[in-house]
Amino acid sequence: MTTSEADAPQFDVDVDFLTGQPYPLWAQARGECPVFQTHSTMGFTDRPTFVVTRFADVERVLRDTEHISSSINAEHIGQYMGELILAMDGQEHRSYRGLVAHAFRASQLEKWDDALVRPTIERLLDGIAPLGKADLAQAITSKYPVQVICGIVGVPLEDAAQFHQWSELINGGPMHPEEGMAASRAMRDYLAPIVEDRRVNPTGDLISDLVHAEIDGQKLTDEKIYGFLRLLLPAGAETTFRVMGNALVALLTHPDVMQRVIADRSLMPAVIEETLRWETSVTQVSRCATEDLEVGGCPIPKGAAVSVITGSANRDTERFDHADEFDIDRPTANHMAFGTGQHQCLGMHLARLELRVGLDSILSRLPNLRLDPDQPPPEIMGLAFRGPESIPVLFDPS
Ligand code: HEM
């Protein structure tokens, strides 16, 4: 099959990267041309780029390892992170994932619940509970998952802010290459003595796990260890921090739901899954076509970039009734917030644990929690990454 660019429906994505609201555009695309070509690539690739918006097509692309590759992820962010699990395919990916997956199993995470996750959120809440008012994004959600990841990785808590800064600079590498490379080197220099120490003195943290992990006599190379550690902070902290903000906005703007959850904490998993469906923090993942193929009736030529809109799939009315509404009583149906197929989020059990413990502690420690009527209401925004900049609230001091 040969395909010219002229065959593909065109649809321009004109949504601000940081502050935009893409859902109306995605709804229109799902109805009119669910797979379309775009020129808005944010400068990340010179390849022709196709956007996939419907649930069924998103699922198909993410599960198709025969015609679709993840290697495109090495072209932008991989340059700054190093050897990247997100950019691997096939056997290389299976072996690597096998080596790092151990630490992220639900059973392994139990040890972090009481030892790290709850103390971290409680300590942050100690700082605001007496005040009676706070910005939950600045004071809590932007700090909590980073501090948890630092604890799991095994770097000192006092370096969490430095880590956060490096990971933002690494993430921004495609836009600001010099700063991105400098942060990438600085993080490696910082981690090197810790990695060497854990080879000799394992402590049970993630770095110890990574340096000693072995399958069939095979261990991770240094480049793969540093590549994984450079990915973990942005992959683990930036994502969960934003989803937690989205969950708080959902509860604060649906006070009836918040009252039900305060009275009955068994509803918390439904709140978390519905938030992940309704407003996930990572709305898209990248792939490229290794063969000419057709998705949702649209021809995609070999070599093209494929932007897979998981956020749009989660609002597809073919899959979810009244999909734009936040409804914790909807029948359970798998959402796409963590992707699917071989690259499905490795940290999803950790994310769910952090969200459950974090939201539970906030509702317990901040009585009579409500939006601050004297501040602008929080707004979930952004194209590829979505979350609120601020969440101004009032509560009874304690
Ligand atoms: C709510 C929070 C999170 C969301 C929405 C999220 C979303 C995603 C998505 C959509 C993917 C698939 C990427 C692809 O198919 O190309 C992914 C992969 C991944 N995530 Fe998460 N993630 C979250 C939390 C975490 C956490 C807490 C960690 C670890 C600490 C983590 C680590 C990873 C890793 C290592 C991968 C790559 C897996 C692979 O390539 O095999 N994520 N995540």
Side-chain angles (χ1 to χ4, degrees), residues 25 54 88-89 108 115 125 145 157 163 175 215 222 225 233 250 287 309 315 327 335 373:
L25 180 122
R54 277 189 188 161
M88 292 173 194
D89 291 322
Q108 277 298 307
L125 287 168
L157 187 61
F163 260 79
M175 267 91 70
I215 292 183
D222 277 7
I225 292 173
L233 274 169
R287 295 289 187 271
I309 314 292
R315 298 280 189 108
D327 174 7
H335 53 69

Side-chain angles (χ1 to χ4, degrees), residues 174-201:
M175 267 91 70
H176 306 286
E178 263 180 43
E179 285 101 322
M181 287 316 283
S184 178
R185 278 193 298 272
M187 200 190 267
R188 189 192 160 118
D189 291 347
Y190 172 90
L191 287 168
I194 306 179
V195 168
E196 288 318 310
D197 179 65
R198 299 301 194 272
R199 285 192 209 282
V200 194
N201 308 304

Side-chain angles (χ1 to χ4, degrees), residues 81-89 91-97 99-100 188 191 195 199 206 210-211 218-232:
M81 288 186 181
E83 289 195 33
L84 196 60
I85 185 171
L86 277 172
M88 292 173 194
D89 291 322
Q91 188 53 43
E92 185 192 20
H93 174 262
R94 274 191 292 282
S95 311
Y96 184 87
R97 187 159 164 136
L99 282 165
V100 298
R188 189 192 160 118
L191 287 168
V195 168
R199 285 192 209 282
L206 182 75
L210 292 179
V211 296
Q218 192 199 355
K219 282 190 169 183
L220 289 171
T221 60
D222 277 7
E223 282 321 304
K224 286 200 163 74
I225 292 173
Y226 290 114
F228 192 64
L229 292 172
R230 286 198 196 95
L231 166 70
L232 266 193

Side-chain angles (χ1 to χ4, degrees), residues 85-86 93 97 149 235-236 239-240 243 280 287 337-338 343 345 347:
I85 185 171
L86 277 172
H93 174 262
R97 187 159 164 136
I149 292 277
T239 51
T240 314
V243 168
T280 180
R287 295 289 187 271
F338 294 122
H343 287 275
C345 179

